[in-house]
Amino acid sequence: MKKYDVVCVGFAVQDIVMQGIPEDALKQDSVHARKTMVASGGDAVNQACVLARLGKKVTLVAGFGHDPVGVQVASDLKNNGVDIEYAVRDGITKTGFSVVLIKDDGQRSFLVGSGEGNVDISVDQVPLELLEQTKAVSIGSLFFMKKLDGAGAAELFKRARAKGVLTFADMTADAYGIGPDGIAEIYPYTDYMMPSYEEAVYVTGENEPEKIADYFLERGVGTCVIKMGDKGCFLKSGDRSFPVAAYQVEAVDTTGCGDTFCGAFISAVLDGMELEDCVRYASAAGAINAMVPGAHNALESAEQVRGFMDRYQGLQ
């Protein structure tokens, strides 16, 4: 019996979410948000919270300090049922934060403060014994972690594979210009790669989902899932490939929908679902997240996701 289902690796921030922000907000002297909220955030954090709410045992390896912001992040993670035994707390003078500006169409922009001190995770901060205690490890933010991107991430996944641990990876925009090939070393050790369409286009130079997926599979990735927002997603694994349409909902806030998709997809894989069912389950979780402000606040349980899928099917 493993102590954890998933080890989530990445970065942690405090999200300050402001809803109802006009396009020209930064040109105005003062703008009043319609709604505001504060919660923990960051790709790995969002995945971890989603997985915990779906009933999985999760620990987070991310950096956040003992400063007031870090204390709030720790409290929110604990309240969500996420283990933080392996979080990196020392050497961080200021925990990162992100101001999330939500426009009326549900789209968002981020103003990010990266934090100060040793906020980046390195491969050596993920203990080998931890890999022996988990079924899966997920990196939430390729292209955002200077110490881990490239050789570090590849080494982490190589070590995980040697322990029989499933490997999952998501990515974000290239935050510090390492280039499309900056994470290429990780591909041979990645069971599931889950980029957004825009991220995948940047990495591969391709525009068609099938060709994008082929790029990753030809370089050693086991399964590629391309998230395409309201256009759904596309999965390819071996000689199997298929698109899945998105659930059509009225989006209030798209923050964290991709992370919610990833967390739910990982949960479904660990539950032994067929790939088609994994994608539909993950898509439903992402749709639920889009209907409520915040990066991981809408999702409550696996029963909620299944109930949403049943109700949606009944309306079609």
Side-chain angles (χ1 to χ4, degrees), residues 13 71 133 171 192:
V13 297
V71 170
Q133 300 176 50
M171 62 183 72
Y192 298 88

Side-chain angles (χ1 to χ4, degrees), residues 8 76 112 123 146 158 230-231 238 251 302:
C8 290
D76 191 51
V112 180
V123 63
K146 292 182 180 180
K158 183 178 180 180
D230 61 3
K231 295 181 177 63

Side-chain angles (χ1 to χ4, degrees), residues 249 253-254 256-258 260-261 264 281-291 299 305:
V249 298
D253 177 10
T254 57
C257 288
T260 300
F261 179 101
Y281 184 82
S283 296
I288 291 169
N289 190 75
M291 294 189 289
L299 204 67
V305 179

